[in-house]
Amino acid sequence: KNYVDSGWNEWKFGIVPARNMLILSMLGQYISRLKEKNIDIFLCASKDEIVESHNDTSPAFYKTASKLMSLFYGKNINVTTPFKNINKAEILKYWKDNWKDKYSISFMDTMTCFLGSNCGECSACVYRKINSLVIDDEDMNFVKNPMYDASRIIRDYYLPNFSGWSHERKADFLIALGKSKKIIPTEVLYFYNKNYSLYSEEI
């Protein structure tokens, strides 16, 4: 509880320790009943989320989880993600173009918010809003527009970490800021104006 609370207070990331391992554990109850010996588990994460610093979406986690599940259930289990080579905006764009009408499921039918209320202040809401802006999609109604940056996630996390991102992620972030110029905080607008010309080609 202290870890979760401190994580929320410091990062507003809605920390759930070993969340993906918990999901795999629950899935294991289903796997144990299957006759199949070769099983692929899609534990989805996008390209930008599969990094060593993410405990439960790192390459090491996928490898270790595959080995652990295989040993425990006596099957050949491969834990992977179909989105390892594309970013979140590309996933949303694919859904919009291929699945939205086919399955009659819009973004409005889904939930990303860590608090389950579309708060517009947690990191999940901010990340979702940024990527929906990139693909020009009308996303759900947030309690607060994430681009107001009421919880300072953009200023305290996105801006300091920007330099370490891929060109693609930088471009996506700047596109979202550009579409929100009228409402983003002054220092974020200054950041956008300073960096836009540097990445205009990628944008």
Side-chain angles (χ1 to χ4, degrees):
K1 181 179 183 301
N2 289 338
Y3 177 74
V4 174
D5 288 345
S6 66
W8 177 258
N9 291 331
E10 183 178 352
W11 304 302
K12 295 181 175 60
F13 275 9
I15 301 298
V16 179
R19 178 176 58 181
N20 284 341
M21 198 65 231
L22 291 172
I23 292 170
L24 287 175
S25 297
M26 289 185 284
L27 183 59
Q29 298 302 309
Y30 174 74
I31 290 172
S32 67
R33 295 174 174 85
L34 296 177
K35 294 181 180 179
E36 288 84 355
K37 293 295 184 183
N38 298 307
I39 299 171
D40 286 320
I41 298 175
F42 294 144
L43 187 64
C44 297
S46 63
K47 178 170 62 176
D48 293 324
E49 296 167 328
I50 304 174
V51 293
E52 293 297 342
S53 61
H54 289 188
N55 290 341
D56 63 352
T57 57
S58 68
F61 174 81
Y62 281 98
K63 182 178 180 180
T64 303
S66 297
K67 184 175 181 180
L68 179 64
M69 297 287 283
S70 296
L71 287 171
F72 190 81
Y73 292 106
K75 301 174 185 287
N76 180 29
I77 298 174
N78 179 40
V79 182
T80 186
T81 170
F83 306 128
K84 62 186 177 183
N85 295 318
I86 59 177
N87 67 20
K88 191 65 64 103
E90 289 171 314
I91 295 170
L92 295 179
K93 182 71 165 63
Y94 187 88
W95 178 355
K96 183 178 178 181
D97 293 345
N98 298 281
W99 294 341
K100 188 174 180 179
D101 293 333
K102 181 177 181 179
Y103 297 110
S104 298
I105 301 174
S106 76
F107 298 136
M108 300 288 283
D109 298 319
T110 68
M111 176 66 65
T112 304
C113 179
F114 284 134
L115 298 182
S117 63
N118 300 324
C119 69
E121 295 189 70
C122 71
S123 64
C125 284
V126 174
Y127 192 46
R128 178 177 180 134
K129 184 64 176 178
I130 287 170
N131 286 287
S132 64
L133 283 168
V134 171
I135 66 165
D136 290 321
D137 190 81
E138 287 296 325
D139 207 335
M140 62 181 57
N141 294 321
F142 293 95
V143 174
K144 293 183 180 178
N145 188 321
M147 301 312 288
Y148 286 132
D149 198 28
S151 55
R152 296 192 58 94
I153 289 173
I154 293 175
R155 283 167 284 181
D156 295 344
Y157 175 75
Y158 280 81
L159 301 191
N161 289 284
F162 180 83
S163 62
W165 293 346
S166 66
H167 282 281
E168 190 174 56
R169 187 173 182 190
K170 289 176 182 177
D172 284 349
F173 180 52
L174 291 171
I175 288 169
L177 294 184
K179 293 180 179 179
S180 307
K181 285 192 290 186
K182 293 182 179 179
I183 64 169
I184 55 178
T186 303
E187 60 194 283
V188 179
L189 180 60
Y190 173 79
F191 174 90
Y192 168 78
N193 290 333
K194 178 182 176 183
N195 285 276
Y196 178 83
S197 59
L198 299 175
Y199 297 95
S200 58
E201 186 175 332
E202 286 87 347
I203 292 171

